[in-house]
Amino acid sequence: MKKLIIIALMIPLALMLVNCGGKPKAKMNDIPEWYLNPPKAEDAFYEAGDAAKQSMSLAKESADARARDAIARTLEVKVSNMLKNFMQQSGMGDDAEALEFTSSVSKQVANTVLRGVQIVKREMKTEGSQYHAYSLAEYNLNSLIQETVNEAKKQKALYNEAKANLSFDDLEGEIQKLEAVGN
Amino acid sequence: MKIGLKILVFLAFSWGSLDAQTIIPGWFENLPDAPAGNMYAVGYSGKYINQSIARQAAIKKALHNMVKQQRTRLVFEIEEYSDGRLRLLNPSLELSYDESILNRIEATYATIDSSITYDGYFILISLNSLQRAPRVPSDDTGWDENKPKWTTSLPKSKNFNYGVGIVSNYSSWVRAWNDADEYARFDLGKNIKIDAHSIHAIERDNKYIIESKILQQSYDENIEGAIIVSRWYDAENDTYYSLCRQKKL
């Protein structure tokens, strides 16, 4: 009888402990390797995103959007660094106009239409009653170079204010050399 | 008594497996390539008491799918707001097409193959009538036991764009395939181009880090020649996968 009472008391306690954990967490073994360590390539860069939702399709949409957003943010930093390097090499890195040009182009490239960002890998896991989606976005470096050149050309007036005697070919040539951007 | 129980268990299990859509025409799982200048489309309908009504519903579905394959306007927008405590996700998907294309297809289409299974009616149509009967695998099959690679890794191709649609937990397999197909079309559109904007702010105090985020992505595009070329049903997880393909221009 005593045993029965102990068991009867243990069951609600066990259930309480189970429910105290909040939302179920993903098991480490379940997390895709490419999410923890996104691949590296010379001609592309990768960013991962994830989302846990009650609906599978919502989890997928959200994880995809976050992976794409991560690409857009990385892109802004990369373009900004790339232009800053070019400006400094041209001896005009500290000019206010040069900084404005750099900031404006990099922001526009990041906020502009992302062509060719693809969700190349996707995995769906279940965690209790939720679906946990993992997405890996890939962006081709050639697309980045093209977008930057296009945007820089659009903002030619600003560039000319920054440095009238530098040719646009110099900037274009410098951007084309950016194989290292994806690393 | 025992034998009766066994029969009952067998029937219960076989009923469940049939209900989970185990028998399908081969071309429903993998759509064959149509001859040059032509196009195939698949239609399907659920259980109907009257077979001719089921056929009509499947043909109607196939015709609408054919129109979507020709040219579809897709408008997609997703917004996500989060301030550390509250998270809101608002996706919006709009699909529209020209009714005049439907009228044109209704006048020219031809039936290639059809199949009645326990679950419903399936039909394969071509855009224009064909002079020679095409070689289409007409046998009904089961779903591939192995998970196709495209369900986790997007196929890489210089000639085609791809998109994948995934849905789960639907009471109607007809609606499930319809939604998986539409999601695959929208996914293809996103892989071609998408407008992306976001603002991130991180606030720190002695105890907490609060990350606030506004994320917005959208596109409005006319997509031509996007075809659902493969489907796969994961019976274990009750999940439907569709693969959409479009030839690059």
Side-chain angles (χ1 to χ4, degrees):
Chain A
M1 185 63 183
K2 261 188 184 176
K3 269 185 187 173
L4 198 69
I5 291 167
I6 289 168
I7 291 168
L9 288 172
M10 289 287 276
I11 292 169
L13 188 67
L15 287 173
M16 276 167 69
L17 288 173
V18 165
N19 288 325
C20 278
K23 284 180 186 173
K25 286 181 179 168
K27 290 174 195 162
M28 284 305 282
N29 290 345
D30 281 351
I31 301 172
E33 173 58 26
W34 50 256
Y35 177 81
L36 299 170
N37 300 301
K40 289 184 191 309
E42 284 193 357
D43 59 347
F45 62 91
Y46 298 86
E47 291 290 346
D50 76 304
K53 304 272 173 205
Q54 296 279 345
S55 151
M56 182 184 274
S57 45
L58 272 186
K60 173 186 169 282
E61 292 297 332
S62 184
D64 287 1
R66 288 175 191 178
R68 283 198 172 90
D69 181 54
I71 289 271
R73 288 162 66 200
T74 311
L75 210 138
E76 185 179 336
V77 174
K78 283 185 188 298
V79 173
S80 176
N81 289 342
M82 170 174 107
L83 290 173
K84 271 180 196 161
N85 286 345
F86 171 69
M87 292 295 184
Q88 275 171 359
Q89 280 167 19
S90 311
M92 47 186 283
D94 296 333
D95 291 359
E97 290 87 353
L99 289 173
E100 197 186 334
F101 172 74
T102 303
S103 166
S104 181
V105 171
S106 53
K107 275 196 166 56
Q108 278 305 314
V109 171
N111 283 347
T112 199
V113 174
L114 296 173
R115 285 173 205 275
V117 177
Q118 295 197 324
I119 301 298
V120 288
K121 283 184 192 291
R122 194 179 279 129
E123 282 200 30
M124 195 68 71
K125 309 282 182 187
T126 47
E127 287 163 16
S129 61
Q130 288 199 316
Y131 293 101
H132 198 147
Y134 296 89
S135 301
L136 182 73
E138 180 191 78
Y139 190 74
N140 192 297
L141 191 56
N142 291 329
S143 304
L144 170 66
I145 291 165
Q146 200 51 54
E147 288 293 336
T148 308
V149 171
N150 291 346
E151 195 53 45
K153 278 181 178 169
K154 269 192 222 166
Q155 305 215 15
K156 197 170 180 175
L158 200 57
Y159 176 81
N160 286 339
E161 266 179 47
K163 190 78 178 175
N165 60 357
L166 264 176
S167 81
F168 230 76
D169 293 340
D170 291 343
L171 175 61
E172 211 170 317
E174 202 62 34
I175 292 166
Q176 296 290 351
K177 286 183 206 163
L178 286 166
E179 260 69 17
V181 173
N183 297 328
Chain B
M1 179 68 182
K2 270 187 179 177
I3 294 167
L5 198 68
K6 277 181 185 175
I7 291 168
L8 203 67
V9 168
F10 173 76
L11 282 174
F13 272 92
S14 56
W15 181 274
S17 60
L18 284 169
D19 209 29
Q21 206 200 9
T22 50
I23 301 164
I24 37 125
W27 41 258
F28 184 74
E29 188 173 17
N30 290 304
L31 191 75
D33 286 329
N38 213 328
M39 191 183 262
Y40 292 151
V42 165
Y44 41 89
S45 67
K47 288 175 190 172
Y48 281 80
I49 296 168
N50 187 327
Q51 192 183 309
S52 69
I53 298 175
R55 184 182 165 82
Q56 278 171 26
I59 290 173
K60 190 179 172 189
K61 180 84 187 153
L63 290 169
H64 282 261
N65 276 342
M66 184 69 87
V67 181
K68 289 176 200 169
Q69 289 174 190
Q70 292 276 298
R71 185 184 166 91
T72 321
R73 184 178 169 205
L74 302 176
V75 183
F76 170 83
E77 188 173 2
I78 189 165
E79 290 172 320
E80 187 173 357
Y81 304 94
S82 62
D83 68 351
R85 295 160 298 172
L86 194 68
R87 198 180 281 275
L88 290 172
L89 183 74
N90 178 30
S92 155
L93 302 98
E94 282 176 44
L95 185 151
S96 56
Y97 49 81
D98 191 348
E99 285 285 327
S100 65
I101 302 174
L102 181 65
N103 297 337
R104 207 166 56 232
I105 292 168
E106 275 177 331
T108 61
Y109 86 94
T111 303
I112 303 297
D113 195 20
S114 60
S115 176
I116 308 166
T117 69
Y118 176 84
D119 299 299
Y121 203 103
F122 296 83
I123 195 156
L124 177 69
I125 63 165
S126 66
L127 182 59
N128 302 308
S129 56
L130 294 155
Q131 287 183 343
R132 270 190 298 171
R135 286 184 183 177
V136 172
S138 61
D139 293 343
D140 289 346
T141 61
W143 294 103
D144 194 340
E145 284 180 11
N146 301 313
K147 194 174 189 175
K149 206 181 167 195
W150 59 261
T151 56
T152 51
S153 295
L154 197 76
K156 282 203 166 187
S157 168
K158 283 182 180 174
N159 303 320
F160 296 101
N161 294 312
Y162 288 96
V164 176
I166 313 171
V167 298
S168 185
N169 285 338
Y170 274 62
S171 54
S172 154
W173 66 265
V174 175
R175 271 202 67 191
W177 282 125
N178 183 67
D179 287 4
D181 292 356
E182 307 300 39
Y183 274 120
R185 283 181 221 282
F186 279 97
D187 197 51
L188 182 138
K190 283 185 268 174
N191 283 337
I192 297 171
K193 70 173 187 179
I194 192 160
D195 214 353
H197 305 268
S198 70
I199 301 169
H200 291 251
I202 293 172
E203 205 178 316
R204 287 189 181 87
D205 63 18
N206 293 334
K207 284 183 180 175
Y208 305 105
I209 296 172
I210 299 168
E211 190 185 4
S212 304
K213 180 169 70 174
I214 301 172
L215 182 155
Q216 189 190 45
Q217 293 174 11
S218 62
Y219 74 85
D220 181 347
E221 282 296 312
N222 285 308
I223 307 282
E224 290 180 18
I227 303 169
I228 305 298
V229 288
S230 291
R231 291 183 179 87
W232 189 66
Y233 176 63
D234 179 355
E236 197 180 328
N237 298 303
D238 190 26
T239 305
Y240 301 76
Y241 294 87
S242 292
L243 177 70
C244 186
R245 187 181 76 183
Q246 182 207 34
K247 195 165 189 180
K248 283 182 183 172
L249 299 171

